[in-house]
Amino acid sequence: MRTSKILHYCVISIILAILVILQVYFLNTYSTNGQQISDLQKEIESIENQNVRLQTQIASDSAMLAISVQSDSIGLNKSPLTVSLKSPLPVAYRVGQSM
Amino acid sequence: MEKRITFVFTIFFLFFVLILARLFYWQILSSDYLGALAEKQRLITIPVIANRGQMFASNGSPLVLNQKAFGIYLEPKKIKNKDESINILAQSLGMEPASISAKLQNDKIVWLPIAHKVDENTVEDIKKHNLTGVEFLSESKRFYPEASMAAHLLGFVGKNAKGDDQGYFGIEGYYDEQLRGRNGSIRQELDANGNPILSGELERISAEDGRDLTLYIDKTIQFIVEKYLNIGIAKYGAKGGSIIVLDPQTGGILAMASYPSYEPKNFSYYPADLYKNPAISMSYEPGSTFKVVVMGAAFNEKKVDMKTKFNEEGPIALGGYAIKTWNQKYHGEISIAQILEYSSNPGMVFVQKQLGDDTLYSYLQNLGIGKLTNIDLQDEATPQLRERSKWYAIDYATASFGQGIAVTPLQMVRSVMALANGGKLMEPHVVKEIHLQNGKTISIKPKVERQIYSADSAHIVSEMMVSAVENGETKFLKPAGYHIAGKTGTAQIPIAGHYDSNKTIASFVGFAPVEDPKFVMLVTLSEPTSSPWGSETAAPLFFNITKEIFPYLGISASY
């Protein structure tokens, strides 16, 4: 009975000791890798900035004015004749009275 | 011996008291201050600025985005070479050196803001000079990929009294609360080198970005409208003008443009009176375009029908005034449809008499004349509708052909929209959807305010408007094969109690295709100089725009 109690305390002590060592290890590790965190944060910020820059660049290049200028410069013109490929609509305007 | 012991004891006691006093001072009296000082050294609070919501056209393409910018600050005590720093900053920022040096005169200033929302390239240029005492703080500013397109509609972002960003005019002003978001902060423990400690204290209040908006605006139609408005203003020598294009089924604004305009990016370079959107705030007499609204009321009340005839034999005398036709020509007996074709003022007086004074007034009220339309733009204004007791017989008569009554362009086009969509008065809207940060979307549903005309009455007047286009003065302007309903308007401008015969507001209102209207459009030109008439200025502009909109919307010719 007494032996098992001692064994019980020993196990608890070993676990506590391991936990203490682990805590010291992790605290020590995490508290000294601030530079890495800082670098990662800068990288995240840089990538976010790049995304914003790309988004604005895409928006600029696909703007109506930009497309219009480019289409003019390569000689695209408005068609003087519109050809309807749809079947003609009925002669009556809509359901209801007519004049 | 005893004396020496007492002396040493006293010295020790005094030291003890001094230490106690110092500890009392540090731990009790200055504990808050010293605690805060230690916390400041150990913890850093980084503000997380919320991004303002962005705006997109109906097809998802961007109209307003955010881009990175910087605020530039000076720490005067750290500046080594003041003159050189001032010159470099002034040159890069386009400022006068004197304005910067004047701010630096005060020695007590430790942190001096010099410029806000400076773009990245400029900041990179300044950084190359390695100036001491110059700090850059991250900010965000608006980016307009379409430059000044839809400026009046979008509004702009300026600073309020507290120095915070605030939206003014248009959508920016109306939806400011939705767009601005909520700033957050990160409070983090730092090591001796100023790097964050992962296992240390961390308190994060997340920033909530503003809500993005999707508009009813069709970027292509907006582009077409602005292009032709600028061409029209130059061609007809007009002082200004505006064009509104609405979807008659939803009341959504497909395009809205006004001239003169401004650039939202550089709004401060323009006079403040340009910020107001004339399309929703300008008060004008609609002239003959208003005839279709009154005609709709007369048909709806069954006071006239297609068999009704009117004898246009000369001017109508009323209350000491003579009401004449616009060209002094009289056609004898004409049909009700010809009243619109000839744009006959005496004919409309006849229609108004059939309708009755009270009924006309109640239609004006129901159409929302004199009331705000509740469009979701900040700067809407409306002229007042005079009280019923202040109306005389001549007022009802002139109102029937759109004189002596004031409306805004938006009120006018909304009234005609009710003819295009089967009689429903819609609430106009610019924003279609609000996108929340949690991924949900709030759709702004089309709102029918009330039924003004029966569907049949609306159809009859629509067909009369088609007839007015095809047989009236605009018959050579319309694209072949399309049924377009329309009406010209030329209203003189009232000045100091009389009408100026040389100054007019020329307009054209219409919708197409009549079989299933996809858009309703109003073109107004202020004081055109090439011709005062709507049929020679606003109407060609209207038809030039429709000629481009038809193929874009895939609307084919029907005959």
Side-chain angles (χ1 to χ4, degrees):
Chain A
M1 183 69 185
R2 202 178 159 190
T3 322
S4 81
K5 215 173 184 179
I6 291 167
L7 195 68
H8 183 74
Y9 283 128
C10 281
V11 170
I12 289 173
S13 304
I14 290 165
I15 291 171
L16 277 175
I18 291 169
L19 285 175
V20 166
I21 290 164
L22 280 176
Q23 192 186 12
V24 169
Y25 172 75
F26 282 117
L27 277 177
N28 192 40
T29 309
Y30 288 145
S31 58
T32 52
N33 59 4
Q35 184 62 46
Q36 275 173 283
I37 299 163
S38 190
D39 291 346
L40 282 171
Q41 281 173 344
K42 278 180 189 162
E43 201 174 335
I44 291 168
E45 199 182 333
S46 161
I47 289 169
E48 280 174 351
N49 288 345
Q50 276 182 38
N51 279 340
V52 171
R53 266 198 295 271
L54 284 172
Q55 195 187 15
T56 52
Q57 188 62 46
I58 291 166
S60 280
D61 292 346
S62 60
M64 293 298 296
L65 195 64
I67 293 170
S68 169
V69 169
Q70 280 194 4
S71 61
D72 284 347
S73 70
I74 59 171
L76 293 179
N77 281 316
K78 194 171 65 181
S79 169
L81 181 69
T82 304
V83 179
S84 292
L85 297 176
K86 283 185 182 176
S87 58
L89 293 170
V91 176
Y93 298 156
R94 276 189 300 189
V95 182
Q97 278 184 267
S98 61
M99 277 173 62
Chain B
M1 180 71 182
E2 207 170 283
K3 270 185 181 177
R4 287 164 66 185
I5 289 171
T6 310
F7 176 73
V8 170
F9 178 78
T10 309
I11 295 292
F12 269 91
F13 181 76
L14 281 174
F15 270 112
F16 181 70
V17 168
L18 274 174
I19 290 167
L20 261 186
R22 197 64 189 156
L23 285 174
F24 182 80
Y25 171 76
W26 281 338
Q27 294 184 357
I28 309 293
L29 297 180
S30 301
S31 72
D32 288 346
Y33 169 72
L34 293 172
L37 210 64
E39 208 162 83
K40 196 179 164 190
Q41 209 171 33
R42 190 171 57 91
L43 297 168
I44 185 171
T45 303
I46 306 162
V48 183
I49 308 296
N51 288 314
R52 198 169 169 85
Q54 307 183 114
M55 295 184 212
F56 301 89
S58 56
N59 65 353
S61 58
L63 287 170
V64 183
L65 296 174
N66 295 314
Q67 71 179 143
K68 196 164 175 60
F70 293 88
I72 300 182
Y73 297 83
L74 295 183
E75 291 181 88
K77 284 175 187 168
K78 290 187 185 173
I79 298 175
K80 281 181 185 164
N81 188 337
K82 268 192 184 178
D83 289 340
E84 188 198 1
S85 300
I86 288 169
N87 284 332
I88 290 168
L89 286 171
Q91 201 176 355
S92 303
L93 299 171
M95 296 169 77
E96 285 295 321
S99 69
I100 301 176
S101 57
K103 289 178 183 175
L104 285 171
Q105 293 301 315
N106 189 346
D107 292 338
K108 288 176 186 170
I109 292 176
V110 289
W111 186 249
L112 180 69
I114 289 292
H116 287 283
K117 301 195 184 297
V118 180
D119 63 68
E120 273 186 297
N121 294 337
T122 310
V123 167
E124 289 304 320
D125 284 346
I126 295 171
K127 279 182 179 173
K128 281 178 194 163
H129 295 281
N130 290 323
L131 301 176
T132 53
V134 181
E135 295 293 329
F136 306 93
L137 287 188
S138 185
E139 289 179 352
S140 150
K141 73 172 180 179
R142 288 308 220 188
F143 174 70
Y144 302 91
E146 302 288 347
S148 62
M149 181 194 270
H152 283 113
L153 200 80
L154 300 175
F156 58 84
V157 177
K159 295 275 180 198
N160 63 16
K162 292 179 190 168
D164 298 330
D165 281 354
Q166 184 168 329
Y168 293 95
F169 295 94
I171 302 169
E172 293 277 17
Y174 191 91
Y175 286 97
D176 187 52
E177 285 292 318
Q178 307 271 358
L179 289 165
R180 71 166 57 180
R182 197 186 61 224
N183 292 341
S185 64
I186 296 172
R187 197 171 151 84
Q188 199 168 30
E189 204 168 357
L190 299 180
D191 64 17
N193 294 323
N195 290 319
I197 301 171
L198 189 60
S199 56
E201 209 173 301
L202 178 69
E203 196 180 300
R204 186 189 293 267
I205 301 169
S206 300
E208 195 180 316
D209 287 347
R211 295 167 172 181
D212 292 343
L213 306 176
T214 299
L215 315 184
Y216 277 102
I217 293 294
D218 186 307
K219 216 162 82 167
T220 306
I221 298 179
Q222 181 74 29
F223 183 76
I224 294 168
V225 160
E226 291 199 8
K227 183 177 82 174
Y228 279 100
L229 179 62
N230 288 332
I231 291 171
I233 294 281
K235 188 173 178 182
Y236 305 119
K239 197 174 160 187
S242 58
I243 298 176
I244 305 172
V245 186
L246 285 156
D247 176 353
Q249 307 309 329
T250 62
I253 305 283
L254 299 175
M256 184 183 271
S258 294
Y259 180 92
S261 186
Y262 66 95
E263 278 182 275
K265 184 185 168 190
N266 299 316
F267 67 90
S268 57
Y269 298 160
Y270 293 83
D273 55 354
L274 290 187
Y275 300 158
K276 273 204 141 197
N277 184 353
I280 60 168
S281 61
M282 179 185 81
S283 164
Y284 80 111
E285 295 194 4
S288 295
T289 52
F290 204 67
K291 288 172 180 167
V292 296
V293 175
V294 178
M295 189 65 86
F299 268 95
N300 202 45
E301 294 298 316
K302 303 195 188 318
K303 301 293 183 186
V304 293
D305 58 32
M306 292 311 296
K307 291 174 190 157
T308 306
K309 299 280 182 192
F310 168 66
N311 191 7
E312 193 191 59
E313 55 189 356
I316 290 182
L318 194 72
Y321 296 92
I323 293 168
K324 303 169 187 169
T325 55
W326 62 276
N327 58 359
Q328 310 282 333
K329 286 181 184 168
Y330 298 89
H331 302 88
E333 190 177 78
I334 56 174
S335 69
I336 197 87
Q338 285 173 316
I339 289 177
L340 284 190
E341 282 174 29
Y342 298 139
S343 198
S344 168
N345 294 342
M348 284 311 299
V349 175
F350 162 76
V351 171
Q352 189 276 315
K353 291 290 165 215
Q354 305 302 307
L355 180 62
D357 296 350
D358 292 341
T359 319
L360 174 63
Y361 193 84
S362 69
Y363 267 88
L364 296 179
Q365 285 182 313
N366 286 337
L367 283 164
I369 307 298
K371 292 177 199 153
L372 296 175
T373 63
N374 289 329
I375 189 169
D376 43 351
L377 294 174
Q378 193 186 42
D379 44 343
E380 188 184 14
T382 178
Q384 294 297 307
L385 182 67
R386 268 173 297 145
E387 283 174 35
R388 173 81 180 81
S389 58
K390 292 180 182 167
W391 281 63
Y392 300 99
I394 187 68
D395 296 323
Y396 293 106
T398 57
S400 71
F401 51 89
Q403 292 275 186
I405 184 167
V407 296
T408 64
L410 182 63
Q411 286 170 344
M412 182 64 226
V413 72
R414 185 168 80 135
S415 301
V416 175
M417 181 165 62
L419 293 168
N421 64 16
K424 298 185 283 285
L425 188 75
M426 308 293 294
E427 189 174 87
H429 275 285
V430 181
V431 173
K432 192 180 187 181
E433 288 169 347
I434 301 172
H435 304 283
L436 309 185
Q437 289 306 317
N438 61 8
K440 288 183 181 170
T441 295
I442 301 171
S443 292
I444 297 172
K445 303 277 180 223
K447 186 178 169 190
V448 180
E449 285 202 3
R450 61 188 79 90
Q451 187 79 25
I452 301 288
Y453 310 109
S454 67
D456 281 350
S457 305
H459 295 162
I460 291 169
V461 179
S462 300
E463 290 177 15
M464 288 170 73
M465 289 171 74
V466 173
S467 172
V469 167
E470 295 191 347
N471 302 316
E473 288 180 279
T474 55
K475 60 186 166 195
F476 301 113
L477 299 170
K478 74 172 274 288
Y482 292 94
H483 287 124
I484 300 171
K487 184 72 193 77
T488 54
T490 307
Q492 291 174 323
I493 299 173
I495 296 168
H498 71 281
Y499 286 105
D500 187 326
S501 55
N502 296 320
K503 292 179 178 174
T504 60
I505 292 185
S507 58
F508 191 93
V509 68
F511 51 89
V514 173
E515 298 83 358
D516 180 19
K518 298 292 183 204
F519 64 90
V520 51
M521 173 164 51
L522 170 69
V523 177
T524 54
L525 291 175
S526 298
E527 302 178 30
T529 50
S530 67
S531 161
W533 305 108
S535 56
E536 291 170 4
T537 53
L541 207 49
F542 176 96
F543 288 111
N544 283 337
I545 293 168
T546 55
K547 280 173 196 168
E548 291 220 11
I549 292 180
F550 282 146
Y552 169 67
L553 292 180
I555 301 167
S556 55
S558 57
Y559 64 94

